[in-house]
Amino acid sequence: MFFDNFEMKHCTTFLFFLLLNLNCLITSAQNKIINPDDITIARDTWGTAHIFAKTDAEVAYGLAWANAEDAFGTMQELLIIGKQMMGKKDGKEGAPFDFFVHSIGTEKTYQENFTQISKEYMTYLDGYCQGVNAYAKANPEKVILKKAFPIEPEDILKAYLVGFSALSGAVDKVTNIMEGKYDKEPDSKPAGSNAFAFAPHKTVNGNTFLCINPHFQIEGAFSFYEAHLHSEEGLNITGSLFQGGTCVFMGNNEHLGWGKTFNHIDQVDVFELEMHPRKKLFYKYDGEYIKLEKRPVWLKVRLGKIVIPVRKMTYWSTFGPTYKSPDKKYYSVRCPAFFNLKAGEQYYRMNKATNYKEFQTALDMNAHSMFNLVYGDKDGNILYLCNGMQPKRNPAYDFTKILTGDTQEKLWTEYYNHKELPRVENPACGYVFNTNNTPTNASCIVADNCTNKEVLKYADMRYGDNNRSHRFMEMMEDDKKYTFEEFKALKFDTKITKNSAFWKSLSGFFAIDAEAYPPFEEAIQLIQNWDGDASGESTTAPLFLFMLQYVFEEMEYSDVPFTTGMPDTIPEVLYIEAVEHASKSLLQQYGSLKVPLKNIFFHRRNGKLHPASGFPDALSPIYTKVEEDGKQVAEYGDTYIHFVEFDKKGPVKIQTLLPFEATKTCENYEDELEMFNERKMKTMSLDKKEVLKNAVKTYHPVPSISSE
């Protein structure tokens, strides 16, 4: 009997591997070698890449090549992270990335779920990988880490998983545990965005208007890239994506368009495990003790010119990846993005949707763990959706806090579908919007489904309206119909409104008697009389800004007060100290209290400073950092602007701007930053003949052409 079982076991194993190999052969046969001569890249006046080919996979190849030409170094970052090679690249500074990727079970999730990815999308990814690999082979001197190549579709799928896990906030939670700060929330970054859409009955000409305006990093892995993708298989879309993205993340095709904004949906839960008092690594679960699964990892860490293996231990509980804190407690972290491989494919389906129904079908995949969505189309539909993979949590527990991981009652495995989340669909007033504010305020009416308190509890983690939402509503006129130019002007507004919680929280400053402080009387009065305008010509905005920066630094505030208002009562003495600091800074640097904002704020592009305007949390925002030379240089801001107007046949106007693309290729074309400072837009087209006619350069993605 033993030998019978042995033979049966090995026959079954042989058949399994035979079928697996056959499947690989079939997949390989489908993913034919792409001929780059069948792909055309057209660069317009601004250097934007328009990719034309017969198949979607060929277009993906062209996108990969064009993006690599422009930003190959940045492209490689996320891929290297996904392949757990940051330790080889950056030594001990990079090793924590590899630890995180291993600890969240990236490889296991891939192995358990890759068969759910459609062959169509895998073929598309294969085309993309061929493009990246071809560029790396043709430009070996630009490759950061040789062992990271060649890349394969599985690397892209893992990169999306890791990217969404990072954006979801899981890295912060794990870092807090490992550093013993599990009860302290990290400072939030000023990642934001604007998006709004007007229905035909809200516009003068009866067309649909859509504004897409993400505010994100100006440089780095999460900076934006712009492209136009056009195949003969139904792909024809223009918009923005992160460096190394395989599809357009937000933009428009011939039928519809959408923008995304950062939402404050709770996606990461932390559970403290109740460990056995004597048995090592056993934790209590439903009245029994279960042993943690050990998942050791050998991190490859570069030290000088050598790479050494460093062994680290990670664990896995019923709740997911588990970590040991410095005080020897064990915490499990659970996040929807850890278990999801379909984020990239959902973007692909959204790119190819031809109507509202098909777009909704793409949303049915529920593969994006976060981001609000604002949508408009040629049929006049508009939509706001607080999108995300929101778990169905047990209402008996408060998951906003650290919970004891001791029972199945706290283990969530299902998610609300997008139709159960806060949304506004085709409101009678004809507009929807989001500026990272509460999902309950997205139009003239309260968002649907918000009566479900359990959904809203975790979908609105930063409750309230920020300056941008207050200002947007302040400018909206219920009975007014807007022209396209008036619609665009809403986005470029630079005012701080007095209706916001932030402004009202400054009441203590506005109550100060300026005459009681003679040395600073003029400065105090200037700020108290400021109308909130932060245009480049404003001479009071810098004084207010310097004062505000001082208060925020002293109180250790992030950007949260722009939504909630300052949580503390600021003592008058601190305001006076802040005014003194602001006054001295301006007088020492510029010799006056009244300095135009454009002389204070700058964008740095290719070593050159460009004047800037705007203000933190204005509809046209800017967040700066002080560089070594003392200049206030933009770090976050209007990273991409996209307006589209649809009539019943499709887009009649597409106007975009990618002002901060600091790439080598872009230096050879007109600079969009100059246009941005003048509030001018460039015109984009989805028409192949028009694009090719006006292109300043057309070529195939082959080494001989690219290297010229």
Side-chain angles (χ1 to χ4, degrees):
M1 179 66 71
F2 174 82
F3 287 102
D4 288 342
N5 287 339
F6 181 84
E7 291 294 326
M8 180 62 71
K9 177 180 178 181
H10 281 269
C11 285
T12 303
T13 302
F14 173 78
L15 286 171
F16 171 78
F17 281 104
L18 177 63
L19 289 171
L20 180 62
N21 288 332
L22 284 172
N23 182 61
C24 290
L25 288 171
I26 292 170
T27 303
S28 178
Q30 288 176 339
N31 301 341
K32 65 179 183 179
I33 302 301
I34 289 174
N35 182 356
D37 289 329
D38 295 331
I39 305 165
T40 297
I41 300 176
R43 296 280 185 172
D44 61 24
T45 305
W46 302 275
T48 306
H50 302 253
I51 320 296
F52 301 102
K54 183 176 181 180
T55 69
D56 289 353
E58 290 169 339
V59 168
Y61 184 113
L63 170 63
W65 184 281
N67 195 178
E69 287 181 310
D70 294 336
F72 192 43
T74 307
M75 275 182 72
Q76 293 177 72
E77 288 289 330
L78 193 54
L79 291 172
I80 291 173
I81 291 173
K83 297 190 83 162
Q84 291 180 239
M85 293 185 175
M86 285 296 289
K88 287 184 178 180
K89 174 182 174 290
D90 293 335
K92 63 180 182 180
E93 287 77 20
F97 290 97
D98 298 338
F99 175 83
F100 175 77
V101 174
H102 169 81
S103 72
I104 63 175
T106 304
E107 180 62 31
K108 190 172 189 293
T109 297
Y110 171 77
Q111 294 296 338
E112 292 177 350
N113 295 279
F114 77 91
T115 56
Q116 299 175 15
I117 307 300
S118 70
K119 292 181 179 179
E120 180 186 7
Y121 182 59
M122 289 298 283
T123 300
Y124 182 86
L125 285 186
D126 184 76
Y128 185 88
C129 291
Q130 287 189 47
V132 174
N133 292 332
Y135 187 86
K137 184 177 181 180
N139 300 273
E141 74 284 357
K142 297 181 181 179
V143 172
I144 296 174
L145 197 64
K146 291 182 178 179
K147 289 188 177 181
F149 293 90
I151 67 167
E152 300 175 2
E154 69 175 80
D155 298 320
I156 304 295
L157 294 173
K158 293 174 185 176
Y160 271 111
L161 184 156
V162 173
F164 266 97
S165 297
L167 288 169
S168 298
V171 173
D172 295 328
K173 297 291 186 183
V174 173
T175 301
N176 282 348
I177 293 169
M178 300 301 292
E179 295 182 354
K181 302 175 182 177
Y182 38 80
D183 60 347
K184 177 184 176 183
E185 289 298 316
D187 289 342
S188 61
K189 296 292 185 181
S193 297
N194 299 322
F196 45 96
F198 285 7
H201 61 276
K202 189 63 177 173
T203 67
V204 170
N205 59 7
N207 290 342
T208 304
F209 298 165
L210 174 66
C211 169
I212 303 164
N213 178 217
H215 310 150
F216 229 71
Q217 292 179 356
I218 289 175
E219 298 178 349
F222 291 121
S223 59
F224 283 103
Y225 185 70
E226 183 177 18
H228 170 206
L229 313 179
H230 187 295
S231 80
E232 296 178 19
E233 294 182 332
L235 188 64
N236 190 12
I237 186 167
T238 185
S240 64
L241 52 147
F242 288 141
Q243 307 286 356
T246 57
C247 297
V248 168
F249 290 0
M250 56 189 90
N252 74 273
N253 61 26
E254 297 168 290
H255 313 280
L256 52 86
W258 71 93
K260 288 197 168 188
T261 68
F262 195 96
N263 55 0
H264 298 280
I265 183 171
D266 185 358
Q267 304 161 81
V268 188
D269 293 331
V270 179
F271 303 88
E272 182 181 350
L273 301 183
E274 184 178 336
M275 306 305 293
H276 194 282
R278 293 180 303 278
K279 289 185 178 181
K280 189 176 181 180
L281 298 183
F282 278 81
Y283 67 98
K284 192 173 185 180
Y285 185 75
D286 280 348
E288 300 179 359
Y289 282 96
I290 304 173
K291 191 171 185 180
L292 281 173
E293 178 187 344
K294 287 185 176 181
R295 291 189 176 182
V297 57
W298 285 95
L299 303 174
K300 305 296 178 63
V301 184
R302 179 180 55 78
L303 291 177
K305 294 184 178 181
I306 64 171
V307 175
I308 64 170
V310 178
R311 190 175 187 268
K312 290 290 183 180
M313 184 63 69
T314 68
Y315 306 90
W316 197 270
S317 75
T318 305
F319 292 96
T322 302
Y323 308 87
K324 185 179 180 180
S325 72
D327 59 2
K328 299 182 180 181
K329 294 182 179 180
Y330 290 83
Y331 295 86
S332 293
V333 178
R334 192 168 182 82
C335 172
F338 294 169
F339 314 107
N340 174 44
L341 280 183
K342 292 186 176 181
E345 182 166 3
Q346 180 170 323
Y347 278 123
Y348 178 64
R349 300 298 172 192
M350 292 163 69
N351 280 205
K352 297 197 70 172
T354 62
N355 54 48
Y356 193 36
K357 183 178 180 181
E358 289 183 8
F359 191 81
Q360 295 274 0
T361 300
L363 294 180
D364 286 339
M365 293 181 68
N366 199 24
H368 293 167
S369 58
M370 60 187 299
F371 294 125
N372 294 298
L373 185 144
V374 173
Y375 166 98
D377 65 28
K378 66 181 183 181
D379 297 318
N381 295 300
I382 60 173
L383 167 72
Y384 161 75
L385 171 65
C386 181
N387 196 38
M389 298 176 65
Q390 183 169 322
K392 291 185 176 180
R393 298 173 169 101
N394 188 331
Y397 301 95
D398 183 1
F399 286 81
T400 64
K401 302 176 181 178
I402 295 176
L403 296 175
T404 303
D406 59 353
T407 173
Q408 187 177 359
E409 292 181 353
K410 301 172 187 176
L411 180 68
W412 48 258
T413 57
E414 298 180 352
Y415 310 100
Y416 293 100
N417 65 57
H418 67 92
K419 294 180 180 177
E420 298 175 289
L421 299 175
R423 59 194 285 128
V424 174
E425 189 172 7
N426 294 324
C429 59
Y431 68 89
V432 292
F433 75 97
N434 185 264
T435 64
N436 315 111
N437 59 304
T438 170
T440 61
N441 182 21
S443 184
C444 56
I445 61 173
V446 175
D448 296 338
N449 300 320
C450 286
T451 52
N452 188 330
K453 293 182 180 180
E454 284 304 314
V455 171
L456 196 59
K457 179 177 181 179
Y458 300 105
D460 195 8
M461 294 301 293
R462 189 187 287 185
Y463 182 79
D465 282 289
N466 51 24
N467 177 76
R468 286 173 288 134
S469 61
H470 276 294
R471 180 61 181 154
F472 183 87
M473 294 298 292
E474 187 176 80
M475 291 189 293
M476 288 301 298
E477 299 179 36
D478 291 340
D479 298 328
K480 178 180 173 62
K481 291 188 177 184
Y482 288 76
T483 66
F484 195 53
E485 293 302 313
E486 290 172 329
F487 175 81
K488 289 159 54 180
L490 295 170
K491 181 265 150 309
F492 287 113
D493 183 77
T494 56
K495 271 211 167 186
I496 305 299
T497 175
K498 296 181 180 180
N499 291 324
S500 68
F502 166 67
W503 188 274
K504 292 175 181 177
S505 71
L506 295 170
S507 59
F509 173 80
F510 292 110
I512 292 174
D513 180 5
E515 293 181 357
Y517 301 94
F520 314 116
E521 181 178 354
E522 181 184 3
I524 294 171
Q525 289 180 342
L526 282 171
I527 299 173
Q528 288 179 336
N529 294 325
W530 183 46
D531 63 358
D533 176 47
S535 64
E537 303 300 327
S538 174
T539 57
T540 304
L543 188 60
F544 178 81
L545 171 75
F546 281 20
M547 180 195 78
L548 195 66
Q549 287 178 336
Y550 185 90
V551 171
F552 271 47
E553 288 174 5
E554 289 296 311
M555 301 301 293
E556 298 184 346
Y557 289 152
S558 65
D559 69 318
V560 175
F562 288 117
T563 298
T564 62
M566 289 191 286
D568 306 291
T569 300
I570 307 300
E572 186 169 313
V573 64
L574 179 56
Y575 278 128
I576 300 304
E577 288 177 8
V579 172
E580 180 180 8
H581 168 79
S583 301
K584 286 183 177 180
S585 296
L586 287 170
L587 289 171
Q588 288 174 0
Q589 295 181 56
Y590 304 97
S592 175
L593 291 177
K594 301 178 181 180
V595 184
L597 187 63
K598 64 183 181 181
N599 295 348
I600 303 289
F601 278 174
F602 297 95
H603 300 295
R604 193 183 295 278
R605 170 72 179 277
N606 298 324
K608 181 181 177 182
L609 290 174
H610 299 258
S613 62
F615 212 78
D617 207 42
L619 283 161
S620 188
I622 187 171
Y623 295 85
T624 62
K625 61 179 179 180
V626 180
E627 297 196 342
E628 292 182 1
D629 58 5
K631 300 295 184 184
Q632 298 254 354
V633 177
E635 184 178 18
Y636 293 82
D638 267 327
T639 42
Y640 182 68
I641 305 169
H642 185 131
F643 297 108
V644 57
E645 176 183 350
F646 293 98
D647 67 11
K648 293 180 180 180
K649 295 180 180 180
V652 293
K653 286 182 183 177
I654 307 172
Q655 297 181 341
T656 72
L657 213 57
L658 186 69
F660 308 117
E661 186 178 26
T663 62
K664 184 176 180 180
T665 301
C666 193
E667 291 178 28
N668 302 321
Y669 301 94
E670 290 188 21
D671 193 341
E672 295 178 50
L673 184 52
E674 298 289 348
M675 298 174 65
F676 173 72
N677 287 334
E678 296 176 10
R679 298 301 190 247
K680 294 179 180 179
M681 305 291 294
K682 69 179 189 290
T683 298
M684 294 290 284
S685 174
L686 297 177
D687 185 84
K688 181 178 180 180
K689 290 183 179 180
E690 182 180 348
V691 171
L692 292 176
K693 177 183 177 182
N694 296 322
V696 298
K697 178 182 179 182
T698 58
Y699 58 98
H700 304 299
V702 295
S704 59
I705 300 297
S706 176
S707 60
E708 288 183 359

